[in-house]
Amino acid sequence: MEDQASNVPVTKPTVLLVDDEESILNSLRRLLRSQPYEILLADSGAKALEILKERPVDLVMTDARMPNMDGATLLAEIRRLYPSTLRILLTGYADVDMMTKAINEGQLYRYLSKPWNDEELVQALRQALAHQHSESERQRLEALNREQNQQLKTLNATLEKRVVSRTSELQQTADMLDLAYDELKRSYVTSTEVFSLIANLRLPKAKQTNRQIIELIRVYSRLNFLDESTDRDLTMAAALYNIGKLSWTDNMMVTPADMLHHTELDLYRAYPKQSESLLMTLDPMKDAARIILHHQERWDGSGFPDHLKGEAIPFGSRLLKLAVDFIELQRGLILERQMNSDEALVYIRKYAGKLYDPDMVEAFIKACAEYLEDVTLSDPTVKVATTRELAAGMILARNLNADNGMLLLNAGKVLSGPLIEKLIAFEAMEGARYSVFVKIPEEEADPTAPKPILG
């Protein structure tokens, strides 16, 4: 089997697992046997070095604590002898000295804790090998570009004498450079998804957003037939839109935007520009950087950094704002109260024409319904009502929670008059305003009768 783009034979990545406990090695081998890797095992650091001497290995994952040669020492030796081999440390000990040695001397790709989470471990290996492949491709393409540029210089030296005979050849070379550049941009998409993990490491898992925004953007692109180049730029922008937040304090990273202290607002408004500045030096990311720069602009011109209005805001920035706000509203990063997916979409629909492009909102809601199973707002039979617009016989389309998160009623509950009165009283006591997602029973749905439900 060969890679059609490069005519290079495709081989399975080789992964070497090192642990002095046979049971651990067997567990790892069973976990990874369904993965497209060639698995090698070593029960000591010395054995691992013997294997590396005999054959190339793409990734080494080693236990931290082993007799004779610990994991940090082994990784440092591998880094010295085989610098292109990725290095992961598997440790069950909170040993600061060991981790410092592994990071400084072994320059490990990352470390995982024992006992490991199967899904996290498999994902870590997949990301590490994808990163290695992307870096290898980048180096290969850069070398190809240098070689072709040198050929162009040689050609230009004699161009006047050879202009007629070389016109066709020059066109072919230019086409090859375009293809190489497109391939390089594709490699950058993979790299940016890996780099987005850097921003996520600053956030608790419940506050992480990048992966969900990437996936939502891809669903929208597929449903709306966006071209490959636009999809790539949007994916890179979604992966790194918040890289400019890395200079923030930990507290500011998790504080809702509307709760920030006035002394922090300037730093908040500067993050799109900071993100763009970090990425503009990378030529394949210039279009993605421009999308990031303007993703906090608002349709009515009240956004930042440049107060662009309407269609003056780039299309990609308008789409990225929809995706970012939809996910961040559910993470509690915009308002103090975390919304569910439908409540976030009600918010977006409410501010269409003010914060968001009104012509994109409904297509975006369809994309959300495709991406998330719990979105009910795209169902034409589902309506959102206030408590005073409820009527007996209506059925809850999704759980109703109080503002403090307490579950009030389960989805599927048929509302009665006394129950509605209790909801109104509890809402008044709490000082809240509930949005209730309901369905009207088909036998009672008269299209000619007035409907007291808000659409």
Side-chain angles (χ1 to χ4, degrees), residues 59-166:
L59 184 147
V60 174
M61 183 166 67
T62 179
D63 185 26
R65 295 285 185 176
M66 296 187 296
N68 300 323
M69 181 187 299
D70 61 30
T73 302
L74 172 60
L75 293 183
E77 187 67 2
I78 292 173
R79 177 206 168 199
R80 184 179 70 83
L81 296 173
Y82 313 101
S84 64
T85 298
L86 287 174
R87 300 168 292 280
I88 293 179
L89 189 68
L90 189 61
T91 176
Y93 299 87
D95 189 329
V96 175
D97 292 337
M98 170 70 70
M99 295 309 303
T100 302
K101 181 178 180 182
I103 292 171
N104 291 338
E105 299 181 14
Q107 291 191 358
L108 69 166
Y109 175 79
R110 66 175 296 177
Y111 69 89
L112 299 170
S113 299
K114 281 184 175 181
W116 62 82
N117 175 282
D118 286 355
E119 183 179 346
E120 180 184 3
L121 188 145
V122 170
Q123 182 69 8
L125 293 185
R126 186 178 298 124
Q127 289 174 345
L129 292 167
H131 172 74
Q132 184 188 59
H133 174 73
S134 175
E135 181 63 18
S136 175
E137 281 296 288
R138 182 187 64 79
Q139 294 175 2
R140 183 181 69 81
L141 290 171
E142 286 180 348
L144 176 63
N145 278 333
R146 287 195 297 270
E147 177 184 355
Q148 291 174 338
N149 285 335
Q150 185 58 47
Q151 291 174 355
L152 285 174
K153 288 181 181 178
T154 302
L155 179 64
N156 287 336
T158 58
L159 185 60
E160 290 183 358
K161 298 178 182 179
R162 304 168 60 189
V163 63
V164 175
S165 62
R166 292 297 188 185

Side-chain angles (χ1 to χ4, degrees), residues 217-244:
I217 287 288
R218 284 177 170 162
V219 172
Y220 185 97
S221 296
R222 174 172 55 81
L223 293 179
N224 293 275
F225 306 102
L226 301 187
D227 61 80
E228 182 182 357
S229 177
T230 300
D231 180 66
R232 283 201 306 264
D233 291 334
L234 282 165
T235 299
M236 290 190 288
L240 298 176
Y241 80 96
N242 56 353
I243 196 171

